């Protein structure tokens, strides 16, 4: 249930179209529904503006299907992250509205249209190997109602590729810089634009990359201003934060 649905429910009670007992029954689902293995947060849409997102990693297919069914009762758009093909096939058994974004490993169940802002989020990657994390950020931002400009494989090893896209960088309202190896891309992007940059370190790299730790530390130690850093491979967190900033 979101704010619009809650207002509509209260108006229906006021006008006599919905009985008090029926309204109370609906409100009993707030703020959460205890499923035993999970507590589905029906109140999150009202608090945060978007329903609870399903993190699929570590959950069984049956658990995910039940959570999707519960979220669908309130006609929510549903976002399931870190989802393999088997998760998508399981969700299809619950609803035919599911769409799978394989590179991003995201399943989307679209139940209602979202107003799209005119402001742009640019998602930039250092290399092609970073695209899976970048797509998680880009798809998340799009589902949350944002225009996304993808600028891929423009890392500092061939910095002319990045500079050739300066106009695209400049027109963005928020930027997401995704990089593994040494993670230098975020600092360079931060030095070119006057907008906030969300840096995403990836686990792409050789041994001394330490599974993304070296890129994380590089981004945290950036001398460029206006950079914030999310966790290693956390494309979802970057896309969600970028959307929040973009809609301020």
């Amino acid at each position: 249930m979101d704010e619009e649905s809650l207002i509509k429910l209260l108006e229906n009670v006021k006008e006599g179209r919905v009985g008090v007992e029926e309204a109370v029954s609906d409100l009993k689902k707030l703020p959460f529904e205890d499923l035993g293995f999970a507590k589905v947060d029906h109140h999150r849409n009202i608090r945060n503006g978007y329903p609870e997102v399903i993190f699929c990693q570590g959950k069984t297919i049956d658990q995910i299907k039940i959570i999707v069914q519960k979220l669908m009762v309130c006609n929510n758009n549903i976002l399931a992250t870190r989802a393999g093909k088997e998760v998508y096939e399981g969700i299809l058994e619950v609803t035919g509205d599911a769409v799978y974004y394989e590179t991003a490993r995201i399943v989307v169940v679209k139940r209602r249209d979202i107003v799209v802002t005119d402001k742009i989020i640019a998602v930039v990657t250092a290399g092609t190997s970073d695209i899976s994390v970048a797509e998680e950020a880009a798809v998340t931002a799009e589902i949350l109602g944002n225009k996304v400009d993808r600028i891929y494989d423009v890392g500092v090893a061939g910095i002319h590729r990045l500079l050739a896209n300066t106009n695209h960088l400049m027109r963005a309202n928020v930027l997401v810089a995704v990089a593994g190896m040494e993670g230098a891309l975020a600092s360079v992007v931060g030095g070119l634009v006057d907008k906030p940059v969300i840096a995403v370190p990836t686990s792409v790299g050789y041994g001394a990359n330490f599974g993304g730790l070296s890129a994380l530390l590089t981004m945290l130690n950036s001398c460029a201003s206006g950079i914030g850093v999310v966790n290693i491979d956390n494309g979802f967190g970057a896309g969600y934060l970028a959307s929040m900033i973009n809609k301020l």
Side-chain angles (χ1 to χ4, degrees), residues 113-144:
D113 291 330
I114 299 174
V115 177
V116 178
T117 179
D118 290 332
K119 294 180 288 186
I120 297 171
I121 295 172
V123 179
V124 189
T125 75
T128 302
S129 298
D130 301 306
I131 288 178
S132 61
V133 176
E135 276 299 297
E136 186 178 49
V139 172
T140 297
E142 286 174 333
I143 297 305
L144 293 175

Side-chain angles (χ1 to χ4, degrees), residues 29 33 35 37 40 42 54 61-76 78 90-95 109 111:
K29 299 172 185 174
E33 185 175 359
L35 305 179
F37 62 87
V40 180
H42 294 297
I54 306 169
I61 303 298
D62 286 340
Q63 287 172 339
I64 293 167
K65 288 165 63 175
I66 292 170
I67 294 170
V68 169
Q69 287 174 322
K70 295 299 182 181
L71 289 173
M72 285 176 57
V73 170
C74 296
N75 200 38
N76 287 321
I78 300 168
I91 293 176
L92 277 178
E93 295 176 12
V94 176
T95 172
V109 178
R111 308 284 290 175

Side-chain angles (χ1 to χ4, degrees), residues 41 67 76 102-103 107 119 121 139 163 201 218 226 228 240:
D41 188 357
I67 294 170
N76 287 321
E102 186 170 2
T103 303
V107 178
K119 294 180 288 186
I121 295 172
V139 172
L163 298 177
T218 296
Y240 198 105

Side-chain angles (χ1 to χ4, degrees), residues 218-238:
T218 296
M219 291 170 172
L220 287 171
N221 283 289
S222 175
C223 61
S225 302
I227 295 176
V229 187
V230 298
N231 206 348
I232 297 168
D233 291 336
N234 189 10
F236 165 75

Side-chain angles (χ1 to χ4, degrees), residues 99-215:
V99 177
Y100 186 48
Y101 298 84
E102 186 170 2
T103 303
R105 292 187 293 171
I106 285 177
V107 178
V108 174
V109 178
K110 189 174 181 182
R111 308 284 290 175
R112 62 176 73 178
D113 291 330
I114 299 174
V115 177
V116 178
T117 179
D118 290 332
K119 294 180 288 186
I120 297 171
I121 295 172
V123 179
V124 189
T125 75
T128 302
S129 298
D130 301 306
I131 288 178
S132 61
V133 176
E135 276 299 297
E136 186 178 49
V139 172
T140 297
E142 286 174 333
I143 297 305
L144 293 175
N146 301 274
K147 292 182 179 178
V148 175
D149 192 1
R150 291 165 169 82
I151 307 169
Y152 290 169
D153 194 26
V154 290
V156 298
I159 200 166
H160 55 291
R161 300 172 300 174
L162 179 65
L163 298 177
N165 285 278
T166 301
N167 289 338
H168 290 280
L169 300 175
M170 293 290 189
R171 72 180 186 179
N173 192 51
V174 190
L175 299 98
V176 177
V178 185
M181 296 292 188
E182 85 285 17
L185 178 68
S187 290
V188 178
V189 172
L192 292 174
V193 300
D194 61 351
K195 298 297 192 300
V197 176
I198 301 168
V200 188
T202 71
S203 53
V204 172
Y206 291 102
N209 173 264
F210 295 111
L213 184 58
S214 65

Side-chain angles (χ1 to χ4, degrees), residues 22-99:
E22 183 180 348
V24 169
S25 177
D26 286 341
L27 292 173
K28 278 182 178 178
K29 299 172 185 174
L30 301 177
F32 66 88
E33 185 175 359
D34 193 344
L35 305 179
F37 62 87
K39 294 176 176 60
V40 180
D41 188 357
H42 294 297
H43 199 258
R44 192 172 302 186
N45 208 350
I46 297 172
R47 295 195 319 272
N48 299 138
Y50 196 82
E52 182 174 15
V53 174
I54 306 169
F55 180 73
C56 297
Q57 190 173 320
K59 293 183 176 68
T60 68
I61 303 298
D62 286 340
Q63 287 172 339
I64 293 167
K65 288 165 63 175
I66 292 170
I67 294 170
V68 169
Q69 287 174 322
K70 295 299 182 181
L71 289 173
M72 285 176 57
V73 170
C74 296
N75 200 38
N76 287 321
N77 289 334
I78 300 168
L79 186 65
T81 66
R82 295 298 170 95
K85 197 72 175 288
E86 69 281 0
V87 171
Y88 168 58
E89 291 169 353
I91 293 176
L92 277 178
E93 295 176 12
V94 176
T95 172
D97 294 332
V99 177

